[in-house]
Amino acid sequence: AWADRTVLSSDFLGQFEPAVVTSSLTRPGPIVIAGSAHSAMSALRTILKRREELDQRYLGRQVYVTQRSSARLYYESIEIARREQIAGREHKFDSNSICPETGVVHRDTGLRGESKSLFEDLWNGDIDGVSLVRLESLSGAHEYFDEASLIIQSLGYVGRSPVMRQRNGVVYREPTSVDRFPATNDGRAHLANGEVSEMLSILRLD
């Protein structure tokens, strides 16, 4: 029902404006960002930048950031998380949220830096014309999506690996490969010639 006005966040954030964005912003109605994690905050920052640049298509247009689950915020330690977490604003950390190596809370999934500050401002209601909306079910999304001129689907980032070559030019891994990077148990890369690299480490996120 909303395909003609929906764009992936990765496309919205790209170098060139997708045609669906150009056409959608000719219509009245709010912009809806579906999601509240990393790519959603990047999309919101882009919209706010367009406002600062006085892009008339964004000025005065309401923005809704919708979420079905609480955002995760990054904290450098358990102590800081206990002191600064706010009930209802974010996902409450547990033992599975803590990096066993560093003690960091929500190391990879948590919003940090500018994105964290932006989300905190959003939750506090400090951004003019932008509202955070908690959806308890998909049926509740109709109220916002039906009225939207543009929907930015922000379901997270997808890694885009480059062509990886060894020094002799032999391709180590193509960007289209669905295979895992071959590596030893301690993370050293297995090269195409069967050697183990001391210069390239592979991080597993299982």
Side-chain angles (χ1 to χ4, degrees):
W2 309 301
D4 64 334
R5 51 187 135 159
T6 300
V7 62
L8 295 177
S9 58
S10 57
D11 293 332
F12 180 74
L13 297 169
Q15 182 178 0
F16 302 104
E17 181 173 283
V20 64
V21 174
T22 304
S23 62
S24 293
L25 292 180
T26 63
R27 299 190 292 263
I31 296 173
V32 174
I33 301 175
S36 62
H38 298 85
S39 58
M41 293 301 101
S42 295
L44 179 55
R45 271 201 307 275
T46 298
I47 291 172
L48 297 178
K49 185 173 184 290
R50 297 287 184 270
R51 287 182 177 180
E52 291 176 359
E53 295 169 345
L54 302 181
D55 187 326
Q56 296 297 317
R57 301 174 303 168
Y58 293 92
L59 292 175
R61 197 185 289 266
Q62 177 68 35
V63 178
Y64 294 108
V65 179
T66 64
Q67 59 175 185
R68 292 191 62 198
S69 59
S70 299
R72 287 170 167 77
L73 304 186
Y74 172 96
Y75 293 98
E76 292 186 352
S77 69
I78 298 172
E79 292 72 21
I80 295 175
R82 286 173 176 162
R83 184 170 66 246
E84 298 184 2
Q85 276 203 325
I86 297 177
R89 180 183 69 178
E90 60 200 274
H91 180 82
K92 186 177 180 180
F93 79 92
D94 55 28
S95 59
N96 294 322
S97 312
I98 304 166
C99 173
E101 299 294 330
T102 65
V104 166
V105 175
H106 296 145
R107 186 190 71 177
D108 298 312
T109 59
L111 296 173
R112 67 174 78 186
E114 290 184 10
S115 292
K116 182 178 180 180
S117 297
L118 184 60
F119 179 81
E120 290 172 341
D121 290 342
L122 174 62
W123 190 81
N124 289 330
D126 292 338
I127 307 175
D128 291 340
V130 183
S131 301
L132 180 65
V133 178
R134 183 65 175 268
L135 301 175
E136 299 302 330
S137 65
L138 282 177
S139 60
H142 281 272
E143 176 184 349
Y144 298 94
F145 291 1
D146 287 347
E147 299 299 322
S149 60
L150 176 66
I151 301 168
I152 303 172
Q153 188 173 341
S154 304
L155 302 181
Y157 287 115
V158 176
R160 294 179 178 176
S161 172
V163 176
M164 302 189 70
R165 300 179 185 274
Q166 298 172 201
R167 289 183 180 178
N168 60 6
V170 174
V171 174
Y172 171 64
R173 188 176 188 273
E174 294 283 0
T176 55
S177 174
V178 296
D179 296 328
R180 294 162 63 97
F181 285 97
T184 62
N185 290 334
D186 61 0
R188 292 176 297 164
H190 273 300
L191 302 182
N193 61 7
E195 296 179 0
V196 173
S197 172
E198 301 294 339
M199 303 295 294
L200 177 62
S201 297
I202 306 299
L203 173 64
R204 296 266 190 252
L205 293 178
D206 293 321

